Amino acid sequence: MPEGASCLIIVPHDHPELHDRLKAHFSQRANIQVRLDARTGERAESELHVFGVGGRSLSPDVRASVEAEIRALCGRG
């Protein structure tokens, strides 16, 4: 992932174990943040999402790289 490409991963609140695994996996990469969705009810996320930080769009290469790592970590890749 290119330096300076900031990425935010939002994990559904009902998957705390996935949040913990992703947080540990990406802990050494300051440009990637992993957060557990704090929202509940209709506003809560039901799927994992990858976003650019600060309203910026992630480049397709960065998004593909992060999503590939997530799939590999989850055994889906």
Side-chain angles (χ1 to χ4, degrees):
M1 172 182 284
E3 292 301 317
S6 295
C7 178
L8 174 63
I9 302 169
I10 302 291
V11 181
H13 71 275
D14 57 345
H15 293 289
E17 71 290 336
L18 176 59
H19 169 262
D20 293 345
R21 281 189 299 170
L22 292 176
K23 191 164 179 102
H25 178 78
F26 290 112
S27 66
Q28 299 301 311
R29 295 174 58 185
N31 59 334
I32 299 178
Q33 301 173 32
V34 180
R35 300 280 187 246
L36 191 61
D37 190 1
R39 298 172 294 183
T40 58
E42 290 181 18
R43 295 193 62 217
E45 293 292 339
S46 61
E47 297 180 17
L48 184 137
H49 290 282
V50 178
F51 298 99
V53 174
R56 296 182 179 157
S57 295
L58 287 175
S59 75
D61 292 341
V62 170
R63 181 177 299 281
S65 172
V66 169
E67 289 176 348
E69 286 186 63
I70 292 169
R71 282 191 305 275
L73 186 63
C74 295
R76 297 182 197 150

